[in-house]
Amino acid sequence: MVDTPAAEPSPAAPGYDQGSIQVLEGLEAVRKRPGMYIGDPHDGTGLHHLVWEVVDNAVDEHLAGYCDAVQVTVHSEGSITVVDNGRGIPVGMHAKGVSAAEVVMTQLHAGGKFNSDSYSVSAGLHGVGVSAVNAVSEWLKMEIRREGKLWFQEYARGVPKAPIEPIGTSKKNGTKITFKPDPQIFTMTNFSFEVLNNRLREISFLNAGLEVVLEDERGEGKKVTHKFEGGIREFVEALNKKKTPLHDSVIYLHAVKDGVDIEIAMQWSDSYNESIFPYTNNVFNRDGGTHLTGLRTALTRVINQYGSREKLLKDLKNPLGGDDVREGLTAIISVKHPDPAFSSQTKDKLVSSEVKGIVESVVNEKLSQYLEEDPKSGKRIVEKAVLAARAREAARRAREMVQRKGVLDASTLPGKLADCQSKDPSESELYIVEGDSAGGSAKQGRDRRFQAILPLRGKILNVERARFEKMLSSAEIGTLITALGCGVEGGDNFDIDKLRYHHVIIMTDADVDGSHIRTLLLTFFYRQMPKLIDNGYLYIAQPPLYKVKRGKKLRYLQDDGALSRFLIETGTDNVRLSMTAGGTQLTGEPLRNLLKDLSRFRLLLENIGHRVDPLVVEALVTATDLAVGDLADKAKIETALEAIGAHVSAKRQGELSARIEQDEEHDRQRIVIETQHGVTRRTTTIDFDFLSAGNVAELRQIHQGIVALGRPPFVVTMLDKDGKPTEDSTEVPDIESLWANIDARARRGLGIQRYKGLGEMNPDELWETTMDPEMRTLLQVRIEDALEAEELFSVLMGDQVEPRRAFIESNALNVTNLDI
């Protein structure tokens, strides 16, 4: 045995020692790594997840039998309120030395969901929900109605400002949470009404009898109420209202076995697509799981057994396959489980093994019973499946004709494809362009090393209305399938790993035809290659809307917002804002920030004006300093009312009357102001909620910044290239007139061209604006809401004309920038 000298210990990595080990206390971990708890804070998923966490708590109260109404309100400045009439979060002192409510709001893995005595079924199982929301909020305000009192507590970035305290009395029970996502964490802070509405409607469907109200105080102000006594039966009816059902009534199966509550609603239609949506404890399981497997297995067995028994399958060589049985099926399966197991924290897949057998048992028993009792519907369902089986065989033969010999064999690629030189899918891009002319520009402007161009002539087949074999016989569809190289999901040869390009980019004109072609392509990918979307490989090119030119300088702008920002930047170049009485002078970025604040101030007043008199709000903000605490002081209220009345009267003619009422719940008073201007009569109530609202606080903050500048009039002076004032000066009478002056200066000598199509761009412009990876903007296609996507494709691309006409009529006035 040979002795070898011991190796010298390698030095530790520099800067890594015991001091490098961090322990994140309280909610600090959530702020440090928000994606682990609430999803991506940059693309909107994390932002909306905050709402789901708070709403889930209200739904859990409903499941426990204590809540029948939830209201969600989106406020104009970006905050959101969720109110329920459940039991209210407990407020008594916890063993940790603070109230139980504060423990829930500030401690991860704290809550009542771990105790089956409090909640037998819950969507939230890990206790990180509302505390994570608190952690990533700029501020959060909590009101709890419980034990005859109204309790209040406020937080700033997860830290309580003061202990919880009773501020009034209440005969109601429930919890009210208002929070504003922290812009330090979220790059996207604008809540989508559609995303909120779709999920809240879904929650109402899944919980029969629960009323869910969504109110949006932004823009024109929208308010919708969802309440469905029929539960998931109405859900399926709603999904199928754009289709022609094979049987009139929705099949509803329900049973409770071994403590697991199973609800299934299903209906077959004449469509060619399968739409099954699985849920566990109100959470959509994107990747399915054991409940979906159980349902599919049992459906295939029951329909084959029934078809054989009724001698409806005698012309088939083989039994019906699962795809045959489920063609045209729309179904919801909702499982309420006391202790479900998921594959991940995001709950995308249910893995509780016992659920499969329970679901199979329920479907075997109850669907067989339904088919026996309604043989007319049973016969239609089986006949539909038999037609699907025959079409599947025809599709197999058609598929064999379009299969490629080799994935990267250029000799099999379609002639119109201008392929790229790279064979590495991770860096290769395929531009699907509209028409040969745009295709020619794209071919000339591209980087042929990694960018391929596939021009499509005319409009491709609408796959929503076509069977698989007809789709494969379409020349344009066949060209597209061959170019991509991975097959289609309806076939045996689909393999996402054989996809030749990891950036598949749809590039069409911004006119009506371009939008239609883009929709047809999205329909194809959604129905036949959904994994391209799931894996993030599908994109839509975003050509610029404007080209602006001054002298020889060119700039491309993406949309109206970019044009507005450009005009502010250009209009403030070499400009100084000063007071006639001397004092503050603004140039450059401070001046631009002032204009952005002015724009924001006007927008907030405009949004708030749909509910109250904006002039009264302006008077409250600019002429008073009335705060929440002052509502208990009648003298301060009367002083504020006098100032509001003087401000409103100075700005317009009309009547103004006011009264002071008692607000017992908050142990304060409220002011009710009624104004009439012409025929318009408005009521504005200034109370605890109104003065606590984020929009009032933001309006005051902006106003204080403007006041700090000094008193108008202002002087706008042009500066020379050395920053010295010229003789070009204009006096501006007030702050509201400033924007018009700056806008006029920005447009002087500026040529603004609005693009209508890709054909207007030469190859260099197309490369620079739309195809250069360093400069372009791509919109990644994702399915945020599978149900909404399903319904929308059925409306826009299905056989039913009336739903499409209704959609167009209801959305026509919302269209902007339409080129015909």
Side-chain angles (χ1 to χ4, degrees):
M1 183 175 183
V2 180
D3 289 331
T4 56
E8 290 285 336
S10 60
Y16 182 68
D17 55 22
Q18 63 274 15
S20 304
I21 306 301
Q22 295 183 1
V23 178
L24 300 179
E25 299 291 341
L27 300 180
E28 192 181 346
V30 186
R31 292 187 62 82
K32 202 82 170 177
R33 296 284 184 270
M36 292 175 59
Y37 299 90
I38 52 99
D40 193 331
H42 307 301
D43 66 357
T45 53
L47 181 74
H48 292 91
H49 189 83
L50 302 182
V51 184
W52 313 147
E53 289 288 6
V54 183
V55 169
D56 279 348
N57 289 341
V59 174
D60 290 338
E61 282 289 287
H62 169 76
L63 294 174
Y66 297 100
C67 169
D68 63 7
V70 182
Q71 172 145 358
V72 178
T73 306
V74 186
H75 303 294
S76 56
E77 92 296 354
S79 64
I80 201 159
T81 296
V82 180
V83 185
D84 69 63
N85 63 351
R87 289 169 287 186
I89 303 172
V91 294
M93 290 298 291
H94 193 270
K96 288 187 173 287
V98 295
S99 71
E102 186 172 324
V103 172
V104 168
M105 299 301 297
T106 58
Q107 300 290 320
L108 295 174
H109 308 292
K113 314 294 173 64
F114 303 107
N115 182 354
S116 59
D117 294 336
S118 302
Y119 295 95
S120 59
V121 172
S122 165
L125 299 173
H126 305 283
V128 300
V130 75
S131 56
V133 175
N134 191 20
V136 297
S137 295
E138 182 180 347
W139 52 262
L140 182 145
K141 297 173 183 179
M142 173 176 63
E143 290 182 34
I144 298 170
R145 289 165 174 80
R146 186 181 172 102
E147 301 168 4
K149 296 180 181 179
L150 173 60
W151 304 78
F152 178 79
Q153 190 172 27
E154 187 173 356
Y155 297 83
R157 295 190 167 94
V159 179
K161 287 191 169 182
I164 193 170
E165 60 174 352
I167 60 170
T169 59
S170 180
K171 297 177 182 178
K172 304 174 184 176
N173 286 335
T175 303
K176 177 180 178 181
I177 302 289
T178 303
F179 65 91
K180 184 176 182 183
D182 192 346
Q184 293 180 3
I185 291 175
F186 295 91
T187 52
M188 177 182 174
T189 57
N190 188 33
F191 288 101
S192 163
F193 181 85
E194 288 72 23
V195 171
L196 293 173
N197 187 44
N198 291 331
R199 173 61 179 148
L200 294 175
R201 183 185 67 156
E202 184 180 274
I203 285 171
S204 187
F205 274 128
L206 291 165
N207 297 275
L210 176 65
E211 180 179 280
V212 182
V213 179
L214 172 62
E215 185 171 4
D216 190 348
E217 295 179 349
R218 304 166 300 179
E220 297 178 2
K222 302 176 187 175
K223 186 173 183 178
V224 291
T225 300
H226 301 298
K227 186 174 183 180
F228 306 102
E229 298 295 346
I232 63 172
R233 278 172 286 198
E234 288 191 53
F235 202 166
V236 170
E237 286 174 358
L239 290 171
N240 269 358
K241 68 183 178 183
K242 318 296 191 301
K243 304 171 186 175
T244 304
L246 294 184
H247 45 101
D248 294 333
S249 60
V250 174
I251 302 169
Y252 178 71
L253 317 176
H254 179 235
V256 180
K257 291 194 173 187
D258 300 330
V260 179
D261 189 312
I262 305 292
E263 263 191 299
I264 301 169
M266 53 189 175
Q267 186 178 45
W268 276 264
S269 73
D270 64 352
S271 78
Y272 303 129
N273 302 297
E274 165 195 344
S275 305
I276 303 179
F277 302 98
Y279 293 84
T280 305
N281 295 357
N282 294 312
V283 176
F284 177 58
N285 311 122
R286 186 180 300 274
D287 297 328
T290 51
H291 48 351
L292 181 59
T293 303
L295 173 61
R296 285 175 165 169
T297 303
L299 279 175
T300 306
R301 181 189 302 121
V302 170
I303 298 299
N304 268 299
Q305 288 176 346
Y306 178 77
S308 297
R309 191 164 59 250
E310 298 299 317
K311 297 182 172 51
L312 300 172
L313 307 179
K314 55 187 177 183
D315 295 333
L316 291 181
K317 296 178 181 178
N318 300 307
L320 295 168
D323 290 338
D324 306 327
V325 167
R326 297 191 301 273
E327 183 182 275
L329 172 66
T330 301
I332 306 289
I333 175 166
S334 177
V335 174
K336 303 287 198 319
H337 196 299
D339 187 23
F342 298 99
S343 60
S344 66
Q345 165 69 21
T346 53
K347 307 183 180 76
D348 284 342
K349 186 174 184 179
L350 179 69
V351 295
S352 302
S353 57
E354 73 281 5
V355 173
K356 180 177 181 291
I358 296 173
V359 171
E360 285 189 45
S361 171
V362 171
V363 175
N364 284 337
E365 176 189 342
K366 296 189 176 290
L367 181 58
S368 298
Q369 181 181 343
Y370 170 84
L371 295 173
E372 293 292 341
E373 293 174 356
D374 191 349
K376 187 177 178 182
S377 295
K379 184 179 180 182
R380 287 179 180 170
I381 292 168
V382 175
E383 286 174 346
K384 165 80 170 173
V386 169
L387 281 174
R390 289 174 179 157
R392 176 165 54 90
E393 178 60 25
R396 184 187 64 76
R397 290 193 296 269
R399 189 166 58 248
E400 289 172 355
M401 296 170 61
V402 297
Q403 281 183 335
R404 300 178 57 195
K405 297 175 183 176
V407 176
L408 299 178
D409 182 2
S411 65
T412 67
L413 295 176
K416 60 171 64 179
L417 172 70
D419 205 6
C420 57
Q421 295 167 353
S422 174
K423 302 303 179 187
D424 180 0
S426 64
E427 70 171 9
S428 299
E429 302 178 349
L430 176 66
Y431 277 86
I432 305 171
V433 298
E434 166 193 356
D436 291 334
S437 61
S441 292
K443 286 177 185 178
Q444 293 177 55
R446 67 175 174 146
D447 184 333
R448 63 182 61 246
R449 185 178 59 81
F450 64 93
Q451 290 179 326
I453 308 295
L454 179 64
L456 295 180
R457 185 173 298 142
K459 295 174 181 177
I460 71 166
L461 180 73
N462 179 5
V463 300
E464 187 77 11
R465 305 184 199 174
R467 282 193 180 275
F468 195 74
E469 73 278 10
K470 184 179 179 183
M471 180 195 75
L472 291 180
S473 66
S474 163
E476 296 296 311
I477 293 282
T479 297
L480 184 55
I481 294 171
T482 306
L484 292 170
C486 59
V488 285
E489 293 217 3
D492 303 328
N493 65 330
F494 180 80
D495 185 354
I496 192 67
D497 293 332
K498 293 181 179 179
L499 180 68
R500 304 180 70 244
Y501 314 94
H502 284 183
H503 277 75
V504 179
I505 303 164
I506 300 171
M507 187 164 70
T508 61
D509 287 345
D511 58 11
V512 172
D513 281 342
S515 297
H516 191 198
I517 292 169
R518 184 165 61 248
T519 305
L520 289 166
L521 285 166
L522 288 171
T523 305
F524 167 75
F525 286 115
Y526 176 70
R527 291 301 187 193
Q528 303 300 332
M529 295 186 184
K531 285 188 179 175
L532 259 74
I533 302 174
D534 293 342
N535 288 14
Y537 296 152
L538 187 62
Y539 298 84
I540 296 174
Q542 300 284 281
L545 195 59
Y546 296 101
K547 177 172 78 172
V548 294
K549 184 177 182 182
R550 176 176 279 127
K552 293 184 178 180
K553 290 186 177 179
L554 280 177
R555 185 159 174 182
Y556 301 96
L557 302 172
Q558 202 67 38
D559 50 31
D560 290 317
L563 177 63
S564 177
R565 290 189 294 273
F566 173 79
L567 291 173
I568 288 178
E569 289 175 12
T570 307
T572 53
D573 274 347
N574 301 317
V575 169
R576 184 182 70 193
L577 177 70
S578 55
M579 312 300 127
T580 53
T584 306
Q585 293 185 345
L586 294 181
T587 60
E589 196 61 30
L591 178 56
R592 285 190 277 274
N593 288 336
L594 170 65
L595 289 167
K596 290 172 185 174
D597 283 346
L598 285 175
S599 178
R600 176 70 174 163
F601 192 90
R602 290 201 306 270
L603 178 63
L604 287 171
L605 282 180
E606 183 182 320
N607 285 339
I608 214 170
H610 296 292
R611 299 176 294 112
V612 297
D613 189 333
L615 189 54
V616 170
V617 179
E618 182 186 314
L620 171 72
V621 169
T622 62
T624 83
D625 58 358
L626 192 70
V628 168
D630 298 332
L631 292 176
D633 188 329
K634 193 169 184 180
K636 288 185 177 180
I637 292 175
E638 289 172 346
T639 301
L641 269 176
E642 192 174 324
I644 291 170
H647 183 94
V648 172
S649 299
K651 288 220 167 187
R652 76 169 179 224
Q653 298 280 322
E655 299 177 13
L656 184 147
S657 62
R659 64 182 185 274
I660 301 171
E661 299 178 346
Q662 189 65 31
D663 178 3
E664 293 183 2
E665 273 203 338
H666 297 93
D667 196 21
R668 285 167 173 79
Q669 292 165 314
R670 68 169 71 92
I671 309 166
V672 180
I673 299 175
E674 294 184 349
T675 53
Q676 181 154 357
H677 176 56
V679 296
T680 305
R681 191 168 187 83
R682 313 291 289 272
T683 299
T684 306
T685 301
I686 300 172
D687 56 7
F688 180 92
D689 288 339
F690 191 85
L691 288 178
S692 298
N695 45 24
V696 172
E698 188 173 347
L699 283 166
R700 278 201 163 128
Q701 185 179 5
I702 294 172
H703 174 67
Q704 287 164 4
I706 295 171
V707 167
L709 295 175
R711 300 180 65 82
F714 308 115
V715 177
V716 177
T717 304
M718 291 297 294
L719 306 177
D720 62 21
K721 60 182 181 181
D722 298 321
K724 295 179 180 179
T726 68
E727 295 181 0
D728 184 359
S729 292
T730 307
E731 188 173 286
V732 180
D734 52 46
I735 200 74
E736 287 84 3
S737 306
L738 182 60
W739 166 250
N741 181 279
I742 296 294
D743 184 64
R745 288 177 181 273
R747 292 177 183 270
R748 196 179 299 164
L750 191 69
I752 301 177
Q753 177 188 347
R754 187 175 181 277
Y755 284 116
K756 291 188 176 182
L758 299 170
E760 294 183 47
M761 297 184 189
N762 60 42
D764 290 342
E765 285 180 321
L766 193 58
W767 163 258
E768 185 179 344
T769 63
T770 315
M771 300 181 71
D772 180 359
E774 298 295 323
M775 301 293 293
R776 71 188 179 190
T777 300
L778 293 179
L779 184 66
Q780 189 178 48
V781 178
R782 296 191 310 176
I783 302 172
E784 298 286 358
D785 190 313
L787 289 157
E788 175 69 6
E790 175 68 31
E791 188 172 352
L792 197 57
F793 277 112
S794 296
V795 172
L796 297 179
M797 311 307 291
D799 286 320
Q800 297 290 315
V801 175
E802 283 305 319
R804 187 157 47 253
R805 179 183 291 123
F807 177 88
I808 293 169
E809 288 173 351
S810 63
N811 288 278
L813 295 178
N814 299 327
V815 174
T816 58
N817 297 330
L818 177 64
D819 290 318
I820 299 177

